Amino acid sequence: MTSHFNNMATKPYLTNNSESEISGNSMKLVTLQGHERKVTKTKFNHDGDLLFSAAADNIVCVWDTSTGERLGTYDGHQGTINDFDIDHNSKYLLTGSGGSYLTIWNIENGKSLYKYKTYAPVSSVQYSCGNQTFIASSREFIKEPSSIHIYKNPTYPTTEQTEGKEEKDNDEQEKPWKMISIDNDIKQLNFGVTKAVWSPLNDYIYALCTDNTIRIVDVEKGLQIKK
């Protein structure tokens, strides 16, 4: 996979009469223009100084929230980026794509550090509290059930573990620590998990499904315990 960090800034578009009073503070309305297809997700980092955006054009952009300038792109996926997450210290970016790949990036230099091949398009990803693990969810695909995969985070606990490492080949990546199937008990067509999120203490995972249900998964048992 070819990856690079694009340092060519894209200037923001400031609207006329962009000054508005909200709660006594003067704010600027800035339109960010950088994606060529529909945006699938936006998210601020923990400190709020960076904004990340993903789209169906297969890239993630990172923006300076104080100026609106695009600082770079994370380029290399071969499918729509359906979800991404940022670790607490804003050092690593986790992305999941419709091309059935997970990738961990170095946020500062844009380098792809780890790539995981999944059996199905990835619908959502999220780091656990503390960043020791991360999850990736998927819908039913061919004969495979909808599932949640739990991975041990290779960048935890120190950056020294990944400093200078090259991206590994697909067959060298670790397999998921746990794989938890989500039951399609009403036999819905194209059933699946659209979003999976950790509980605050990482002991449960809440899975939002296409049948308008929320499934509760016990991480230690590796089982769905409630619908």
Side-chain angles (χ1 to χ4, degrees):
M1 179 172 116
T2 302
S3 62
H4 68 278
F5 196 69
N6 179 5
N7 290 315
M8 297 180 62
T10 299
K11 293 183 178 180
Y13 172 72
L14 282 76
T15 64
N16 293 330
N17 303 319
S18 59
E19 297 291 330
S20 62
E21 294 295 328
I22 302 179
S23 302
N25 296 321
S26 180
M27 303 185 70
K28 291 183 179 179
L29 176 62
V30 180
T31 301
L32 306 178
Q33 298 177 327
H35 290 289
E36 297 179 355
R37 299 184 64 187
K38 70 174 183 177
V39 173
T40 55
K41 181 175 181 177
T42 59
K43 184 177 182 177
F44 292 100
N45 68 335
H46 179 73
D47 295 326
D49 58 336
L50 299 175
L51 173 67
F52 294 79
S53 61
D57 57 7
N58 308 344
I59 65 171
V60 174
C61 294
V62 57
W63 312 81
D64 186 317
T65 58
S66 63
T67 65
E69 292 188 350
R70 186 171 69 176
L71 301 176
T73 62
Y74 302 87
D75 188 0
H77 277 293
Q78 301 301 314
T80 297
I81 298 175
N82 293 319
D83 200 11
F84 66 83
D85 199 14
I86 308 142
D87 78 327
H88 185 79
N89 296 317
S90 300
K91 291 183 177 180
Y92 302 104
L93 171 70
L94 170 66
T95 56
S97 79
S100 303
Y101 276 99
L102 296 165
T103 305
I104 298 176
W105 312 79
N106 180 306
I107 287 179
E108 184 176 5
N109 62 25
K111 183 179 178 180
S112 169
L113 297 175
Y114 294 89
K115 186 170 71 170
Y116 299 78
K117 174 64 177 173
T118 61
Y119 74 84
V122 179
S123 58
S124 72
V125 298
Q126 188 184 45
Y127 281 114
S128 62
C129 181
N131 301 321
Q132 293 188 39
T133 56
F134 62 87
I135 52 176
S137 66
S138 62
R139 299 190 181 197
E140 290 182 340
F141 187 72
I142 309 178
K143 295 183 179 181
E144 299 291 340
S146 177
S147 63
I148 297 172
H149 291 185
I150 305 176
Y151 294 84
K152 292 182 178 180
N153 183 5
T155 66
Y156 179 86
T158 62
T159 55
E160 286 79 5
Q161 290 179 321
T162 55
E163 287 288 330
K165 284 189 177 181
E166 297 294 330
E167 180 184 341
K168 296 180 180 179
D169 293 334
N170 295 338
D171 57 1
E172 294 179 346
Q173 293 302 321
E174 293 183 7
K175 300 298 183 181
W177 176 46
K178 289 186 178 181
M179 187 182 80
I180 303 163
S181 297
I182 304 300
D183 296 332
N184 182 7
D185 44 12
I186 65 172
K187 307 303 178 183
Q188 182 189 59
L189 187 64
N190 298 322
F191 170 80
V193 176
T194 57
K195 181 68 177 177
V197 296
W198 291 96
S199 66
L201 298 179
N202 302 329
D203 45 0
Y204 298 103
I205 297 171
Y206 301 101
L208 287 67
C209 299
T210 55
D211 62 355
N212 299 322
T213 64
I214 297 175
R215 314 297 180 93
I216 301 177
V217 171
D218 186 306
V219 174
E220 183 177 357
K221 294 179 179 178
L223 296 171
Q224 175 185 313
I225 60 171
K226 192 174 182 180
K227 176 180 175 182

